[in-house]
């Protein structure tokens, strides 16, 4: 993907939203879309109507951007994202983040549903992502777009420490940990869960790390949150339905936290 292609998509979105300039970007994970109900909506853009966006795979409708006001700020929320496991190229997975960066976001909030690897985690826990281990092909492989960021970006502060601290002041019951980004679409074997525990993971999912890498490449501070929808080493099988249902239950608490954080940025 070239800078011209990304700029063209950003220009197209600016035209469709009358030059709306979001300050905060929010990516809503599986079952976590209800935050969108809190947005005072100005514009909604289906991904299928955006020039340059990948065409959705068999699942049908990939999602939408919601532009509006939340917590006193101009935001753009992604209800639905592009996953590597759906067959999108790594550069396509991060195109929405690239575009939100060009539209001017100064913070990125990302969320996902994840499996608990840390044995002390329970279903319904909210885990602040303090770091990640990326096992998905890196979206920066290929010619570097120097206008967006450096060839060899630092990742030692992938998740903004001040935002992690802010979250802790607003909700005393949060968990903290390392998110492992795997390709999916399979859930992990028992041995893989043990392996992720051994290498320092606390939660595992199938998204987020590519988007965070792209945001950090562009110098955008990131706050990340995993909703623990199932626990890996419990002996209970993980299903997509369970992930959706548990995500929906925890979404209200995550929404409250995100809104309070955005108010205090
Ligand atoms: N593994 C990977 N991705 C997930 C899981 C899991 O257990 N739960 C929700 N997303």
């Amino acid at each position: 993907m070239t800078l011209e292609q990304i700029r063209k998509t950003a220009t197209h979105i600016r035209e469709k939203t009358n030059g709306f300039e979001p300050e905060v970007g929010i990516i809503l994970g599986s079952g976590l879309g209800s935050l969108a109900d809190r947005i005072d909506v100005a514009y909604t853009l289906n991904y299928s109507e955006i020039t340059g966006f990948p065409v959705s795979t068999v699942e049908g409708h990939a999602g939408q951007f919601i532009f509006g006001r939340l917590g006193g700020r101009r935001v753009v929320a992604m209800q639905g994202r592009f996953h590597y496991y759906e067959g999108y190229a790594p550069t396509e997975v991060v195109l929405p983040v690239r575009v939100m960066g060009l539209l001017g976001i100064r913070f990125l909030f990302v969320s996902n549903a994840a499996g608990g690897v840390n044995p002390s985690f329970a279903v319904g826990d909210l885990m602040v992502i303090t770091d990640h281990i990326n096992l998905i092909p890196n979206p920066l492989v290929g010619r570097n777009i120097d206008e967006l960021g450096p060839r060899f970006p630092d990742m030692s502060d992938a998740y903004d420490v001040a935002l992690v601290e802010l979250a802790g002041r607003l909700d005393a019951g949060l968990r903290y940990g390392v998110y492992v980004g795997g390709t999916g679409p399979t859930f992990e074997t028992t041995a893989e869960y043990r392996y992720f525990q051994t290498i320092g993971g606390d939660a595992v999912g199938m998204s987020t790390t590519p988007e965070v890498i792209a945001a950090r490449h562009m110098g955008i501070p990131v706050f990340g949150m995993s909703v623990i929808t199932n626990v890996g080493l419990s002996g209970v099988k993980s299903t997509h339905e369970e992930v959706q249902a548990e995500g929906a239950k925890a979404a209200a608490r995550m929404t409250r936290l995100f809104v309070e954080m955005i108010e205090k940025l």
Side-chain angles (χ1 to χ4, degrees):
M1 195 145 313
T2 64
L3 180 62
E4 282 59 45
Q5 287 171 302
I6 302 168
R7 279 189 177 145
K8 201 173 152 200
T9 299
T11 301
H12 170 75
I13 292 173
R14 254 185 236 111
E15 284 166 7
K16 290 213 164 203
T17 59
N18 287 312
F20 190 93
E21 289 183 2
E23 302 158 89
V24 181
I26 307 165
I27 304 178
L28 300 169
S30 301
L32 305 174
S34 65
L35 176 138
D37 301 338
R38 295 283 302 272
I39 299 174
D40 183 6
V41 179
Y43 303 94
T44 300
L45 285 188
N46 199 293
Y47 299 155
S48 64
E49 46 176 320
I50 299 174
T51 305
F53 259 43
V55 174
S56 175
T57 54
V58 274
E59 335 264 298
H61 138 118
Q64 57 187 3
F65 271 131
I66 299 165
F67 293 83
R69 290 194 77 89
L70 181 72
R73 301 198 173 265
R74 290 186 305 277
V75 305
V76 54
M78 290 174 61
Q79 212 172 21
R81 52 151 61 100
F82 297 104
H83 298 89
Y84 179 70
Y85 67 72
E86 295 175 273
Y88 298 111
T91 51
E92 292 178 322
V93 171
V94 302
L95 177 62
V97 173
R98 294 310 205 182
V99 167
M100 290 192 288
L102 292 189
L103 293 177
I105 62 164
R106 291 187 288 109
F107 297 95
L108 179 67
F109 283 62
V110 292
S111 61
N112 56 60
V117 170
N118 184 320
S120 77
F121 286 3
V123 169
D125 278 354
L126 296 184
M127 185 191 88
V128 175
I129 306 176
T130 55
D131 207 344
H132 76 218
I133 295 173
N134 178 45
L135 301 177
I136 302 175
N138 195 302
L140 304 184
V141 168
R143 179 191 287 266
N144 186 53
I145 304 177
D146 297 331
E147 290 85 348
L148 297 183
R151 170 75 290 189
F152 300 107
D154 182 75
M155 284 290 144
S156 62
D157 59 353
Y159 298 85
D160 192 85
V161 173
L163 294 177
V164 169
E165 287 171 0
L166 173 60
R169 286 197 293 276
L170 295 170
D171 186 333
L174 298 170
R175 306 293 202 138
Y176 297 84
V178 174
Y179 176 86
V180 179
T183 65
T186 46
F187 289 114
E188 288 65 31
T189 64
T190 304
E192 286 164 344
Y193 267 111
R194 258 191 269 114
Y195 165 66
F196 290 149
Q197 205 177 344
T198 304
I199 66 173
D202 295 291
V204 57
M206 309 175 190
S207 66
T208 303
T209 51
E211 295 143 327
V212 172
I213 288 169
R216 297 302 299 135
H217 180 239
M218 301 174 91
I220 300 165
V222 171
F223 179 74
M225 170 147 286
S226 291
V227 174
I228 306 300
T229 54
N230 54 295
V231 283
L233 296 169
S234 63
V236 178
K237 282 194 164 61
S238 303
T239 66
H240 183 59
E241 290 67 34
E242 174 195 30
V243 167
Q244 295 277 336
E246 293 301 331
K249 275 193 244 167
R253 186 168 155 218
M254 190 195 81
T255 293
R256 198 178 325 126
L257 178 67
F258 275 25
V259 175
E260 286 181 23
M261 288 181 75
I262 289 168
E263 281 169 355
K264 292 183 166 58
L265 287 177

